[in-house]
Amino acid sequence: MPLKLLLDTHIWIWSVLEPWKLSSDVAHALAQPGNTLFLSPVSLWELSLLAERKRVVLNSDLGQWCKTAIEELSLQEAPFTWDVAAEMPFTRFLHRDPGDRFLVATAKVFDLTLVTADERLIAVAGLKVLPNR
């Protein structure tokens, strides 16, 4: 059965820059032609913050890097919509990272499986997750 996978920001970055950080289960799921891969615009925002802080080094300017990475991975946009915003009050969990809350709300609203290595997100009740362990 095909999966609809929402990549968290680090999974997206690792899949392009550091694929060895992906577990075999995650790498296999991302490579399956029947699976649809989604990315939230919030991940582009998070990447821009990481690049500004020099926590991630890109081999081209941010806009071109994102465009190329999105095309190479055949990513679909998981948009930030009114429904996602309305889900935000129900995404409270142990930490308050707004990016993570957006991703959780997006996964729930669009019925996506979140691909993540973040143990705090893996533990969120009611969230479909493919853990990168």
Side-chain angles (χ1 to χ4, degrees), residues 55-84:
R55 292 183 57 204
V56 172
V57 178
L58 305 175
N59 55 6
S60 62
D61 72 57
L62 179 70
Q64 185 58 51
W65 191 93
C66 290
K67 181 179 180 196
T68 300
I70 288 167
E71 288 174 1
E72 286 178 0
L73 296 171
S74 299
L75 299 173
Q76 302 297 309
E77 183 178 12
F80 181 58
T81 64
W82 292 339
D83 289 337
V84 172

Side-chain angles (χ1 to χ4, degrees), residues 7 16 76 89 111 133:
L7 309 187
V16 176
Q76 302 297 309
D111 193 28
R133 292 183 170 144

Side-chain angles (χ1 to χ4, degrees), residues 32-100:
Q32 286 301 305
N35 292 343
T36 306
L37 309 181
F38 290 87
L39 188 70
S40 169
V42 170
S43 291
L44 279 68
W45 167 70
E46 286 186 316
L47 175 60
S48 71
L49 296 177
L50 291 168
E52 283 175 11
R53 296 180 195 141
K54 308 283 191 242
R55 292 183 57 204
V56 172
V57 178
L58 305 175
N59 55 6
S60 62
D61 72 57
L62 179 70
Q64 185 58 51
W65 191 93
C66 290
K67 181 179 180 196
T68 300
I70 288 167
E71 288 174 1
E72 286 178 0
L73 296 171
S74 299
L75 299 173
Q76 302 297 309
E77 183 178 12
F80 181 58
T81 64
W82 292 339
D83 289 337
V84 172
E87 182 67 24
M88 292 296 292
F90 307 106
T91 63
R92 294 191 183 132
F93 42 93
L94 292 179
H95 71 291
R96 298 175 191 248
D97 181 325
D100 287 346

Side-chain angles (χ1 to χ4, degrees), residues 9-22:
T9 305
H10 281 91
I11 296 296
W12 172 47
I13 294 168
W14 293 344
S15 66
V16 176
L17 296 178
E18 301 173 299
W20 60 88
K21 290 187 175 183
L22 300 177

